[in-house]
Every structure is written in C-alpha cells, then in structure tokens.
Amino acid sequence: MRQLLPLPLLLAAPVVGAEPLVRDGGFEAGTVQTFWAQASSNFGTPVCDASCGGVGPHAGVFWVWFGGIATAAEAASVQQVGEIAAGPTNLTFQVWWSSSVASPPDPAAIFSVKMDGNTIFSLTPATATAYNAGYTLASVDISAYADGNGHTLRFEANSAVGVNATNIQLDDV
C-alpha cells in the first residue's frame, strides 16, 4: 500500500506591486517574448532590427514593423498585460504609416490599438496622412482604464495581398 506524504506548506510571495502597463516600450528585448506577446502570419514576429531592412526604429535597435509583404495578406500584433494606476493617464507611442496612403491604398489596411479588446486608436489609409511623413507621436487618453487593475494593451495591423504593401512602424510606447 502506498503511503501518502504530507504536502509541504506553500506560502505565497508578498506582492510588492503589479507590473506597469508598458514594459520594454522600445522593444529592445527584441524577438524574445519577455514582455510583449508577438505574432505575425508571415514572419512569426513583427519585431525587427536592422536585419529586417525597412525604415528602422525611432530610437534604439528594435521596433515593430507591421506589414511589409506584397505577396500575402498579413496579420500581426504585439500585446502585454499590465496595471494602470488610478488617475488621468495617456498612452503615447511613435507610429509611422510608411507606405502610400494613395495610389491605390490597400483597402484592407488597418492599424489598431486596443485596450481589453476595445479599439482606442486606429488608422486606415484614409486617416493616416498625419502619420505618413515619419515617426509621429500619438497620444490616447486611457484614463477610463486607469483603475489600478490589470489591462491588456494590444497593437495590431492587417493588410491584404497587393502590389502596394502596407508598412506601419511602431516604437517607443
């Protein structure tokens, strides 16, 4: 007959503080999924460095490059979960819609920022003109989510197959 041994008593580690909403906002951990969960339907990850080519980062070595392929539709995202302290809060990031917003634009192209699945910022070829000349600072009021609880922040982009590939750059969140 097997004898059951008592289980050791497990004590929970004290919680010093929750993780902030954004860790590694410059994506400098690279393609290692330490902070950002990463997905790309064609490349495995949208996080890039100089080996990807492209326009490069706003700062540092790494950045997120959404799109960049004309021979296949692309769906890509980066996301993380963190706490937003109570009080007025803005989410800022550098974004560059570096592909054409005209002649002809990709009808399926969209860049979205979501909080807990709710779209809080989005760009399409029709609305991206202000973000087309280079990296541009975007700011979104996320005070409605600033309640001291954990929230999921997600940046995602989709594009169709086409000659004019969509290219959207993200950095410095």
Side-chain angles (χ1 to χ4, degrees):
M1 176 173 206
R2 260 174 74 175
Q3 181 181 9
L4 295 175
L5 299 174
L7 294 174
L9 180 62
L10 298 176
L11 299 175
V15 176
V16 176
E19 295 295 336
L21 178 63
V22 177
R23 288 158 289 146
D24 188 28
F27 304 97
E28 296 306 308
T31 59
V32 177
Q33 295 193 19
T34 305
F35 302 107
W36 294 98
Q38 308 163 22
S40 167
S41 56
N42 291 289
F43 305 106
T45 178
V47 177
C48 282
D49 62 11
S51 68
C52 296
V55 301
H58 176 257
V61 175
F62 291 91
W63 81 101
V64 172
W65 180 0
F66 291 117
I69 186 166
T71 58
E74 169 72 354
S77 64
V78 293
Q79 75 175 34
Q80 64 177 259
V81 177
E83 179 183 293
I84 306 173
T89 305
N90 283 326
L91 171 70
T92 60
F93 51 94
Q94 294 285 337
V95 63
W96 181 3
W97 189 291
S98 61
S99 59
S100 177
V101 292
S103 0
D106 174 353
I110 187 166
F111 168 76
S112 301
V113 181
K114 296 183 176 185
M115 187 72 69
D116 297 337
N118 301 310
T119 301
I120 59 172
F121 180 90
S122 67
L123 294 173
T124 66
T127 61
T129 303
Y131 300 90
N132 193 235
Y135 278 105
T136 303
L137 183 65
S139 182
V140 180
D141 182 355
I142 58 170
S143 299
Y145 297 92
D147 56 8
N149 293 314
H151 297 278
T152 301
L153 172 63
R154 179 180 178 90
F155 294 88
E156 65 183 29
N158 293 286
S159 58
V161 178
V163 186
N164 295 324
T166 300
N167 294 281
I168 303 163
Q169 321 301 320
L170 171 69
D171 204 357
D172 297 333
V173 178

